[in-house]
Amino acid sequence: MNIQHPIDTAPEHLLIPDAKGYFGAWGGPIDDPRVGALLAEIGAALDVALADPAFQAEMSRLRATYIGRPSPVYHARNLSADCGGAQIWFKREDLNHTGAHKINHCIGEVLLAKRMGKKRVLAETGAGQHGVALATAAALLGIECEIHMGVVDIAKEHPNVSRMKILGCKLVPVARGTGTLKDAVDSAFDSYMQDPENTFFAIGSVTGPAPYPRMVQGFQSVIGTEARRQFTEATGTLPTEVAACVGGGSNAIGLFSGFIDAPEVGLVGIEPSGHGLDTDKHAATLTLGKPGHMHGFRCYMLQDDDGAPLPVHSVASGLDYPGVGPQHCHLKDMGRARYESATDDEAFDAFMILSRREGIIPALESAHAVAYAIRRAPQMRPDQSILVNLSGRGDKDIDFVIRSLGL
Ligand SMILES: *Cc1c(COP(=O)(O)O)cnc(C)c1O
């Protein structure tokens, strides 16, 4: 069997950080020396694991037989014909077990935690997507799992809360502050600090201090590696553009990493512009953010005059984050990737169009990338193509969409 090193599958040095964890000017190590030492241990354990054929074989086995990889690459002929320009293709991460790409890195993080002899994995969750994926991996691999979630989010995200309970994780309701994601992060961090030696903090995107951005990117790069092989087999060429929605940036960097060494392929990230870029209700971090520091790393950031993260908005809770992964900040600076945005209304439209023309109900997060393809394809030729990452399925969003659109 040809088992590849997940980091090696990112074919280009542009996405490998320096020894301190900086991608260009972005990312970097945590300040706190005690936590810094523990994170350095995680980075070292990751390198040893990645070089171990037994670890790679276990990843490959679970990808194939549990997650259901490779996920298909699909030519959306109806949608392409409707748009009357470039061919639109989808990488179907929505067909993974648990319905999104997050399971890719959760399996990797939990395998690593177990190798390190940790007793529990810990995370915060906003809408519950990361919590469900982590609780799933923890159930599978037999390790204690603790998820911190704001009480306001718990009231809103009923099905995911039920899933986490059924999967057997310990759900910690967080009532402090506004009872939402940022408070859940603070609460999870307090719990981590009570027993950091026995706990693995499993971050849910390519965010946070080193080594998380490179670790999560490495586990997600399977998306781009597969997509490149599948698309080339199907068409004999590379896509003209690859596109993905950007919250923290993990599904986008996973897709990009398969194409970054092919300069003829355009890389496009789509941020949520919410009610509009001229309002204060959006989360278009790369489009409108300024350099800042939050949650232990340096990134473009939506911030107030004192450098504190601003409240952000997107109809897709998975995109609702005032920072963004350091790789994307670096790709933007280099001009290698382009970042655009889609509004809440464009995402709703794309959600309905994809459902009715292709029979695929996408996550509202993914619908932002679909909205970009619908807007962009008519400006391109029929012999050109856009490969869109469908990061997740929309089951979690159906009641909300019905209520919001008055259907
Ligand atoms: C969490 C989530 C996202 C956003 O996270 P990234 O790290 O930017 O990929 C996108 N799509 C789905 C379906 C998600 O669950």
Side-chain angles (χ1 to χ4, degrees):
M1 200 183 346
N2 175 22
I3 301 161
Q4 280 184 304
H5 191 299
I7 299 279
D8 283 349
T9 60
E12 239 282 346
H13 61 278
L14 292 176
L15 288 179
I16 296 176
D18 70 15
K20 287 189 168 164
Y22 286 101
F23 298 81
W26 312 100
I30 203 157
D31 293 336
D32 183 312
R34 179 173 172 216
V35 182
L38 290 160
L39 296 188
E41 271 175 30
I42 294 178
L46 173 68
D47 292 333
V48 174
L50 293 175
D52 179 355
F55 183 84
Q56 295 291 350
E58 187 64 351
M59 280 297 302
S60 297
R61 183 181 76 84
L62 293 174
R63 279 175 178 164
T65 62
Y66 188 76
I67 301 178
R69 306 204 69 88
S71 60
V73 156
Y74 167 72
H75 184 193
R77 295 185 184 180
N78 300 339
L79 187 61
S80 303
D82 290 356
C83 291
Q87 303 306 306
I88 299 172
W89 293 69
F90 293 113
K91 176 64 171 161
R92 299 287 311 272
E93 292 298 295
D94 59 313
L95 294 177
N96 293 341
H97 178 47
T98 68
H101 69 288
K102 287 196 174 72
I103 192 75
N104 296 329
H105 71 251
C106 285
I107 295 269
E109 286 185 315
V110 174
L111 278 177
L112 184 63
K114 286 201 63 175
R115 256 181 95 95
M116 294 181 72
K118 302 288 182 186
K119 297 286 179 291
R120 61 169 186 159
V121 293
L122 171 79
E124 78 291 340
T125 193
Q129 295 295 104
H130 178 52
V132 168
L134 191 66
T136 299
L140 170 71
L141 297 165
I143 192 170
E144 216 180 284
C145 177
E146 183 177 306
I147 305 286
H148 292 241
M149 188 169 182
V151 288
V152 171
D153 291 333
I154 287 178
K156 257 174 36 191
E157 305 291 345
H158 197 67
N160 277 344
V161 171
S162 302
R163 279 184 196 107
M164 285 186 274
K165 285 183 183 162
I166 289 169
L167 290 163
C169 81
K170 180 176 166 200
L171 187 68
V172 179
V174 180
R176 67 170 88 167
T178 54
T180 58
L181 180 61
K182 187 188 166 297
D183 309 297
V185 176
D186 295 341
S187 167
F189 192 74
D190 290 350
S191 172
Y192 175 68
M193 289 310 287
Q194 281 165 23
D195 189 13
E197 280 74 21
N198 290 309
T199 306
F200 189 100
F201 203 139
I203 291 184
S205 189
V206 285
T207 49
Y212 288 100
R214 85 168 161 103
M215 173 165 66
V216 172
Q217 170 194 307
F219 292 134
Q220 289 295 351
S221 67
V222 67
I223 299 173
T225 309
E226 284 177 7
R228 182 171 180 155
R229 176 172 48 72
Q230 292 166 311
F231 189 89
T232 313
E233 276 170 17
T235 67
T237 59
L238 287 170
T240 315
E241 291 185 354
V242 298
C245 65
V246 177
S250 66
N251 88 90
I253 212 68
L255 180 67
F256 291 1
S257 59
F259 298 92
I260 191 164
D261 67 338
E264 67 271 37
V265 179
L267 312 177
V268 189
I270 296 90
E271 300 193 297
S273 45
H275 294 191
L277 292 174
D278 53 351
T279 70
D280 60 359
K281 291 212 173 335
H282 63 77
T285 310
L286 289 154
T287 308
L288 292 176
K290 302 245 164 12
H293 196 277
M294 64 181 285
H295 292 159
F297 73 113
R298 194 163 182 279
C299 63
Y300 284 109
M301 182 176 146
L302 295 166
Q303 55 190 292
D304 64 19
D305 294 339
D306 300 324
L310 280 173
V312 284
H313 163 85
S314 167
V315 74
S317 13
L319 302 182
D320 210 346
Y321 188 64
V324 65
Q327 298 94 327
H328 291 291
C329 304
H330 190 39
L331 289 171
K332 176 188 157 92
D333 285 0
M334 288 189 301
R336 177 64 187 96
R338 192 170 92 236
Y339 295 90
E340 302 214 358
S341 61
T343 63
D344 288 355
D345 287 345
E346 288 175 304
F348 277 127
D349 284 349
F351 180 99
M352 293 308 298
I353 289 170
L354 191 64
S355 299
R356 295 196 169 175
R357 291 298 289 142
E358 297 286 347
I360 298 172
I361 302 176
L364 275 172
E365 288 81 3
S366 323
H368 286 73
V370 179
Y372 166 77
I374 291 171
R375 183 169 80 208
R376 174 72 173 137
Q379 306 164 353
M380 294 165 67
R381 297 190 312 266
D383 63 333
Q384 296 181 308
S385 54
I386 308 173
L387 172 59
V388 177
N389 196 31
L390 223 49
S391 54
R393 63 175 174 239
D395 303 38
K396 67 184 178 60
D397 299 314
I398 52 179
D399 291 339
F400 178 73
V401 169
I402 293 277
R403 262 185 282 122
S404 303
L405 301 183
L407 295 176

